[in-house]
Amino acid sequence: MQKVFDNTQIGPMVWKMRVEVPRMVARAKAGQFVILRVNENGERVPMSIAGLDKENGLLTIIYQVVGKTSALMTTVPDGGEISDCVGPLGLPSHVDNWGTAVLVGGGIGIAPIYPIAQAYKEAGNKLHTIIGARSKDLLFYEDEHKAVADELHICTDDGSVGHHGFVSDILKQLLDSGEKIGMIMAIGPVIMMKVVANLTRSYEVPTWVSLNPLMIDGTGMCGGCRVSIGDETKFACVDGPDFDGHKVDFDLLTSRLGAYKEQERVAMKRFLENPGCKLAKAVETFKYPNEVK
Amino acid sequence: MTEQMPKKERMKIPRQTMPEQEPDVRNHNFKEVPLGLTEEQAVLEANRCIECKKAPCIPGCPVEVDIPGFIRLVMDRDYAAAARKIKETNSLPAVCGRVCPQEEQCEIVCTLHKKFKPVAIGYLERFVSDWERENNLVVLPEIAPPTGRKVACVGSGPAGLTVAGDLVKLGHAVTIFEALHKPGGVLVYGIPEFRLPKHIVQAECDFLAEMGVEFQNSTVVGKMDTIDELFEMGYDAVFIGTGAGLPNFMGIPGENLIGIYSANEYLTRSNLMRAYDFPNNDTPIIIGKNVAVLGGGNTAMDAVRTSLRLGADNAYIVYRRSEAEMPARAEEIHHAMDEGVQFHMLTTPIEFIGDDDNKVKAMECLRMDLGEPDASGRRRPVPIEGSNFIMEVDLVVVAIGNSSNPLIPQTTPGLDTNKWGNITVNDDTMLTSRKGVYAGGDIVTGGATVILAAGAGKKAARAIHKYLMEEVEK
């Protein structure tokens, strides 16, 4: 059992929780992930690391309510417990000094690029960070990113704050500006990572993405997280989660992420019908954001 | 009373048949298939043992259970004592009584087997361990005084549990590190409920915990702590029993379509995560109507029988050789056949075909012929040119074995592995190339059986004990 603190809503359908896992936090590096299970009947879900508070042994997770498990996560009270949290899993992000690096975070992906930004900065890079969301109220971590990045670029699909448009617009401007960019790393909705990778291919700038396929054990045993990289099948849990974006088959990833759509609907419906579910109303009125491009 | 029967009379007793759930009932539920011997059956069966002097069954058992000794106690109707007799050398009798291939170990060498059917040793092992547990007669064995030595077991499958049980009895402090949230390894994630009920595995683990073994679940050694760090943390010896690793796939087009699982994933979803009880449990599983399981081993049989229970109309085994070459236990093959599994022998898929949603809808197959024997001694399957045909399937489970998991070798300098990535050990002591580090089970042998892993654990425990007492200063 792991203790949970500060489980709070930070945007429409977006929550933040901190989990007390001191030994793991001492060990984890940017780019790695954890797998958690809320309760005895719960499924195992991979979660990106959105922050490591080594002093207090707290791991930060930022999650969007997209189905039953994430909805259930919101119900864990402050000081309450979840059944398990295992990690750190996967390989840490590759960190080097490339001169200038660009980090792109879209939607919920704004969270995991934060520890990577810290690591890039520590390695001595000049850092451009681009964060984007559908609208202003879906943005978060602006201050955190501002404190780390040399330049923070904000964009929203509806123009409610920052650039009115997609993260790829800003990225293209940077690529066209003549500044030499040594590395680009993008985390966000699959479609955003695909657009970014397609854009940077012609500029020949190395572009890494962090993939989030469905997983069970997270140690290579089940093979559920297989992704197609170039001509090879890789297991995101042990070979990733970071891969060369120019080689990723994003369409395959999208389709595999949707493998259980039907069951997810059934589970969510059952959960929301549970009398007393505070989420039911919010979910009813909430329209899921179109994926950030 | 049968006890007084002369030997000749005793030999005339027919081998007892274990009652089972009827095939057309059990293929719709996840309850255990064989129901266990009745007490009277067990005593009759025990009386079939002629108590021959040579007792070839003992060396036939990888963990050298005193088989005639425990069978004598069954004849005497002291079942709990019989269970304890087994536990002197086997930490997992209720498990082994169910999943050991006795027909190729202790029973095949049974003296009776020359003229009659061998004594049903496995049935008796299961009977006495179930008796002991169900009647709350389990007592802790004597534990030696603390030695002050600490041992880490990495992985809680049959190898790790055996090592832990043996060493804790000798007074060593033992911690088991398990990557998943429940201990038992393949016994909980791999072997289905209908063949090995999970409460039995839990009872065996609870028993070890009562003896003093500490379980640290959800801890991935190699990611959290490395082997070297375990030594720094004060462990004097480490046993690596991490089991089979990454599932193999066919390497043919379409293999990443939705609806194609590794057997590991399919079984883990159903067993460990209880997806068969979705949505009462949150983990989903794809329910196939026409399910093809590729492979001919015990894992393939487990997967195909699971698919029937989950609601398949047609469940196929697709195997490239013939039944004679199948590595699965005969008992498992027959269970599958009785339940209505359809066997497509001498068949291999060459491509998976998907629909517009990227879901598998068919596979193209080739028929095979058997050629000359290959390195494994089995006749090599040769494709018949032009024999291509389409098999309609909406779920495929690939059960063609595993490759070794790299997490520990990658993070343990000086730990030697062979060309397949399996850890190399001294066959007598299970010592690896690193001092104080031992290994056993599938991580050493590649995919094998529960009892061979337990046997390796046995050997390792003996060597670790010697090492701890002779070479570790306290």
Side-chain angles (χ1 to χ4, degrees):
Chain A
M1 298 296 256
Q2 259 79 39
K3 274 208 155 170
V4 167
F5 298 100
D6 309 333
N7 192 11
T8 46
Q9 187 166 9
I10 59 170
M13 293 294 108
V14 181
W15 263 259
K16 171 176 160 179
M17 82 160 46
R18 306 220 284 169
V19 188
E20 190 177 50
V21 275
R23 289 189 62 222
M24 187 205 300
V25 168
R27 169 81 38 177
K29 293 202 168 75
Q32 290 187 293
F33 64 93
V34 302
I35 288 183
L36 59 79
R37 209 168 58 111
V38 182
N39 62 25
E40 242 345 271
N41 297 332
E43 58 182 336
R44 294 171 63 97
V45 287
M47 291 280 165
S48 300
I49 293 174
L52 295 163
D53 175 354
K54 302 212 178 208
E55 213 168 288
N56 298 303
L58 295 172
L59 165 87
T60 305
I61 289 165
I62 293 197
Y63 61 99
Q64 188 168 15
V65 176
V66 291
K68 186 214 165 154
T69 296
S70 42
L72 187 63
M73 283 169 69
T74 66
T75 65
V76 182
D78 191 43
E81 283 177 332
I82 53 172
S83 283
D84 330 278
C85 180
V86 59
L89 298 169
L91 301 172
S93 291
H94 179 52
V95 176
D96 207 335
N97 187 350
W98 296 282
T100 298
V102 180
L103 279 171
V104 184
I108 207 79
I110 295 170
I113 63 160
Y114 174 57
I116 299 173
Q118 290 174 309
Y120 274 20
K121 197 62 210 158
E122 230 165 79
N125 289 288
K126 179 184 174 194
L127 185 62
H128 287 278
T129 299
I130 309 170
I131 59 175
R134 194 168 139 262
S135 69
K136 188 180 166 191
D137 52 0
L138 284 161
L139 278 176
F140 56 92
Y141 264 26
E142 295 102 310
D143 292 341
E144 282 85 346
H145 278 297
K146 204 173 215 163
V148 178
D150 291 277
E151 286 192 50
L152 176 66
H153 312 261
I154 294 173
C155 34
T156 49
D157 296 7
D158 64 1
S160 47
V161 68
H163 169 74
H164 185 170
F166 302 135
V167 290
S168 48
D169 304 341
I170 305 276
L171 182 60
K172 189 168 187 315
Q173 283 171 21
L174 285 174
L175 288 163
D176 289 333
S177 71
E179 183 173 2
K180 185 161 168 27
I181 296 167
M183 172 60 72
I184 296 167
M185 168 101 202
I187 308 182
V190 179
I191 182 71
M192 182 209 89
M193 295 191 284
K194 181 181 172 180
V195 167
V196 166
N198 284 343
L199 169 69
T200 63
R201 191 174 280 116
S202 58
Y203 291 87
E204 294 180 4
V205 182
T207 301
W208 285 71
V209 292
S210 176
L211 305 185
N212 59 336
L214 305 175
M215 287 183 191
I216 304 179
D217 64 299
T219 62
M221 184 270 282
C222 85
C225 66
R226 54 197 198 277
V227 289
S228 185
I229 311 295
D231 292 332
E232 279 182 284
T233 290
K234 297 276 188 189
F235 291 1
C237 67
V238 288
D239 300 321
D242 296 357
F243 292 99
D244 179 349
H246 294 155
K247 291 188 179 166
V248 172
D249 182 341
F250 290 104
D251 296 342
L252 178 78
L253 177 64
T254 304
S255 81
R256 286 184 65 85
L257 280 168
Y260 300 98
K261 257 185 236 160
E262 234 0 86
Q263 290 97 323
E264 281 162 13
R265 256 226 313 269
V266 169
M268 187 62 165
K269 189 162 174 277
R270 223 170 93 125
F271 180 75
L272 294 176
E273 279 167 4
N274 183 1
C277 173
K278 287 183 215 143
L279 274 174
K281 203 162 182 293
V283 173
E284 219 171 79
T285 54
F286 182 75
K287 295 255 188 306
Y288 287 101
N290 293 322
E291 288 178 311
V292 178
K293 290 199 184 101
Chain B
M1 290 287 277
T2 48
E3 282 88 335
Q4 274 74 46
M5 274 192 205
K7 265 187 196 173
K8 274 203 172 160
E9 290 296 309
R10 284 156 62 173
M11 278 194 283
K12 282 185 193 156
I13 305 169
R15 178 175 158 122
Q16 299 300 299
T17 314
M18 191 182 288
E20 291 181 344
Q21 279 197 71
E22 288 301 318
D24 53 354
V25 174
R26 73 191 193 221
N27 61 11
H28 293 100
N29 70 54
F30 276 87
K31 290 184 201 138
E32 192 168 18
V33 169
L35 302 170
L37 296 181
T38 63
E39 183 183 352
E40 288 318 308
Q41 276 188 305
V43 174
L44 267 179
E45 186 62 37
N47 271 282
R48 295 183 65 235
C49 175
I50 54 169
E51 303 181 279
C52 59
K53 279 216 179 83
K54 258 179 73 188
C57 48
I58 302 178
C61 170
V63 295
E64 295 172 14
V65 167
D66 177 1
I67 293 166
F70 98 77
I71 291 182
R72 167 41 64 187
L73 289 162
V74 179
M75 287 185 230
D76 297 344
R77 295 182 183 254
D78 193 350
Y79 314 119
R84 279 166 217 148
K85 174 63 75 184
I86 299 174
K87 280 188 181 167
E88 285 172 12
T89 59
N90 183 353
S91 306
L92 309 166
V95 172
C96 292
R98 290 173 162 80
V99 302
C100 257
Q102 291 95 5
E103 67 279 4
E104 46 189 72
Q105 294 175 160
C106 52
E107 293 183 12
I108 197 173
V109 292
C110 175
T111 302
L112 216 55
H113 196 195
K114 286 171 193 155
K115 280 194 174 171
F116 305 95
K117 284 187 177 165
V119 175
I121 299 167
Y123 291 2
L124 291 173
E125 181 181 28
R126 170 176 164 170
F127 173 77
V128 298
S129 54
D130 286 355
W131 179 279
E132 186 196 30
R133 187 186 62 256
E134 287 163 9
N135 293 289
N136 296 318
L137 297 169
V138 177
V139 288
L140 288 186
E142 204 177 312
I143 309 274
T147 62
R149 273 86 167 165
K150 282 176 75 180
V151 183
C153 288
V154 185
S156 64
L161 293 177
T162 300
V163 171
D166 283 9
L167 291 178
V168 82
K169 269 189 259 178
L170 293 166
H172 306 299
V174 183
T175 308
I176 292 183
F177 295 94
E178 166 56 46
L180 291 167
H181 54 265
K182 261 198 197 124
V186 72
L187 307 175
V188 296
Y189 76 73
I191 302 178
E193 183 78 16
F194 56 82
R195 210 149 71 77
L196 177 63
K198 299 309 144 213
H199 72 88
I200 287 171
V201 182
Q202 192 56 51
E204 308 261 27
C205 292
D206 290 346
F207 181 67
L208 290 179
E210 272 180 59
M211 285 200 284
V213 174
E214 187 201 342
F215 285 88
Q216 281 201 18
N217 299 333
S218 294
T219 308
V220 185
V221 172
K223 284 288 170 194
M224 182 69 116
D225 304 300
T226 62
I227 300 289
D228 286 301
E229 283 161 342
L230 291 176
F231 283 107
E232 285 165 25
M233 286 156 64
Y235 291 97
D236 302 300
V238 176
F239 175 78
I240 304 170
T242 48
L246 284 52
N248 293 336
F249 286 92
M250 303 281 294
I252 59 176
E255 202 147 23
N256 294 333
L257 289 168
I258 296 171
I260 301 180
Y261 283 123
S262 74
N264 286 359
E265 179 177 4
Y266 188 61
L267 292 170
T268 302
R269 282 181 182 274
S270 179
N271 301 332
L272 175 74
M273 306 309 296
R274 300 190 296 264
Y276 64 81
D277 190 23
F278 177 87
N280 293 322
N281 285 273
D282 292 339
T283 303
I285 194 164
I286 296 171
I287 308 294
K289 285 292 157 203
N290 299 300
V291 182
V293 176
L294 315 180
N298 288 322
T299 308
M301 298 307 138
D302 285 346
V304 79
R305 295 173 68 197
T306 295
S307 76
L308 278 177
R309 285 159 174 77
L310 286 171
D313 293 333
N314 292 295
Y316 311 115
I317 282 284
V318 177
Y319 183 54
R320 59 194 185 127
R321 305 185 202 239
S322 70
E323 190 183 329
E325 288 83 22
M326 278 191 145
R329 291 178 73 185
E331 184 183 322
E332 300 308 327
I333 296 172
H334 292 144
H335 273 140
M337 284 179 170
D338 290 347
E339 288 171 14
V341 171
Q342 302 161 55
F343 285 68
H344 291 268
M345 300 301 186
L346 293 165
T347 304
T348 199
I350 52 168
E351 181 171 357
F352 301 105
I353 302 155
D355 65 11
D356 294 342
D357 294 327
N358 246 356
K359 290 181 177 156
V360 67
K361 64 169 186 184
M363 57 184 198
E364 184 176 355
C365 300
L366 275 183
R367 303 232 186 259
M368 312 293 273
D369 223 343
L370 288 181
E372 294 300 307
D374 63 12
S376 73
R378 296 178 299 175
R379 292 177 66 193
R380 182 194 305 274
V382 187
I384 302 171
E385 228 174 284
S387 65
N388 309 44
F389 69 101
I390 300 286
M391 188 184 280
E392 280 187 28
V393 291
D394 55 2
L395 183 68
V396 176
V397 180
V398 184
I400 57 169
N402 299 291
S403 325
S404 58
N405 191 311
L407 284 186
I408 288 185
Q410 265 174 7
T411 53
T412 313
L415 186 71
D416 290 350
T417 54
N418 65 16
K419 63 175 169 176
W420 297 284
N422 295 115
I423 298 174
T424 49
V425 296
N426 174 310
D427 285 344
D428 297 324
T429 61
M430 310 312 282
L431 177 66
T432 67
S433 54
R434 285 283 308 267
K435 190 175 176 223
V437 180
Y438 298 76
D442 284 4
I443 185 66
V444 169
T445 55
T449 61
V450 167
I451 190 64
L452 286 176
K458 198 105 219 141
K459 271 201 246 175
R462 217 174 280 150
I464 292 169
H465 177 60
K466 189 166 183 286
Y467 170 75
L468 290 173
M469 300 317 286
E470 292 175 7
E471 293 186 54
V472 176
E473 300 277 334
K474 282 284 156 179

